[in-house]
Amino acid sequence: MLSSGVLFSQSEAQEKTELTFATYNVSMESDNYSPKGAMGKSEQILIYQLNSGVNAQIRNIAHIIQTVRADVILLNEFDYIKDPELGVKAFIKNYLNVSQGGAAAIDYPYYYYSTVNTGQPSPYDLNNDGKLNNFGNDAWGFGMYPGQYGMMLLSKYPIDVNAVRTFQHFKWKDMPGALLTKKQMDQIGTVRKHGRNFHYLQNRIGMFL
């Protein structure tokens, strides 16, 4: 699903600048590129597909992005890959910088991504099934490996990365009126509010992302 919107910025010269923002759930995680139930899944599966430049699903995603041509776009469920050369830059170079389905190629020179709670092991039996698995339903956010279902922000404008605020470690106990079951009370000091993450970002032309 892709949704978009338009915002306007007033510069010092009083020239109106139109910016388009979009969010897109791309579902670019290992379950889409490996057999169901396969063991040993990790971000390495997506790394391989990004490097190939020929994955049909990713080419279709790139085609949609090239058609919408948002100035800033948030990609949801894009596996976290620490090395940008293997992750975001490979996606831009091998898919977005290449015409897909007759659409004009597009470039995003600025990007931001970070770790997420999905797949991060917790020391608790969070789903109360009597088993401590560390991953899946017992991870801080559901995921079979750290970084599954991550997020990627692409922008045509500089991002003020020094001003980024993350709420990845925000805890339930700090949430006003948090509702917890009796069994969760002993975990209240550590359970995290966000299953993935929440960021506050600002770009260099004064817009909040």
Side-chain angles (χ1 to χ4, degrees):
M1 178 181 292
L2 186 150
S3 60
S4 61
V6 178
L7 290 178
F8 297 94
S9 173
Q10 205 74 14
S11 69
E12 292 182 1
Q14 299 300 306
E15 294 180 356
K16 188 170 67 174
T17 300
E18 179 179 302
L19 294 179
T20 56
F21 292 77
T23 62
Y24 188 9
N25 190 319
V26 293
S27 194
M28 288 170 60
E29 44 85 25
S30 66
D31 284 339
N32 275 326
Y33 314 118
S34 59
K36 187 176 181 179
M39 303 299 291
K41 294 182 180 181
S42 73
E43 74 282 358
Q44 294 298 323
I45 295 175
L46 179 58
I47 288 175
Y48 175 82
Q49 299 299 336
L50 294 177
N51 183 65
S52 73
V54 298
N55 181 276
Q57 183 232 15
I58 301 178
R59 290 184 66 182
N60 287 337
I61 290 168
H63 182 203
I64 292 172
I65 294 173
Q66 291 171 351
T67 301
V68 175
R69 310 191 77 78
D71 293 302
V72 182
I73 184 167
L74 175 66
L75 306 181
N76 296 297
E77 297 196 4
F78 189 116
D79 273 0
Y80 172 77
I81 299 172
K82 184 177 181 180
D83 186 345
E85 298 293 337
L86 301 178
V88 59
K89 288 187 176 182
F91 175 57
I92 293 171
K93 175 184 177 181
N94 299 327
Y95 290 93
L96 296 183
N97 289 168
V98 179
S99 172
Q100 308 290 349
I106 194 169
D107 189 42
Y108 287 98
Y110 307 101
Y111 55 84
Y112 179 82
Y113 63 97
S114 185
T115 56
V116 291
N117 284 331
T118 46
Q120 293 288 350
S122 84
Y124 300 106
D125 174 19
L126 294 178
N127 64 347
N128 296 314
D129 66 351
K131 301 176 183 178
L132 180 58
N133 294 319
N134 296 124
F135 56 87
N137 286 314
D138 287 339
W140 288 122
F142 180 84
M144 303 308 293
Y145 52 88
Q148 189 175 18
Y149 313 116
M151 298 178 289
M152 177 69 66
L153 184 75
L154 304 178
S155 176
K156 294 180 180 179
Y157 298 92
I159 300 169
D160 189 355
V161 294
N162 293 323
V164 171
R165 294 174 61 194
T166 176
F167 295 85
Q168 182 180 3
H169 301 288
F170 187 81
K171 299 179 176 59
W172 272 107
K173 72 179 181 66
D174 299 321
M175 186 71 178
L179 298 177
L180 295 167
T181 66
K182 200 169 183 180
K183 288 185 177 180
Q184 290 174 318
M185 290 304 292
D186 63 336
Q187 304 168 5
I188 192 170
T190 55
V191 173
R192 301 176 185 179
K193 170 67 175 67
H194 298 284
R196 295 183 186 174
N197 202 348
F198 180 81
H199 291 95
Y200 171 92
L201 300 96
Q202 184 175 2
N203 65 17
R204 296 287 176 79
I205 58 172
M207 288 292 187
F208 297 105
L209 311 180

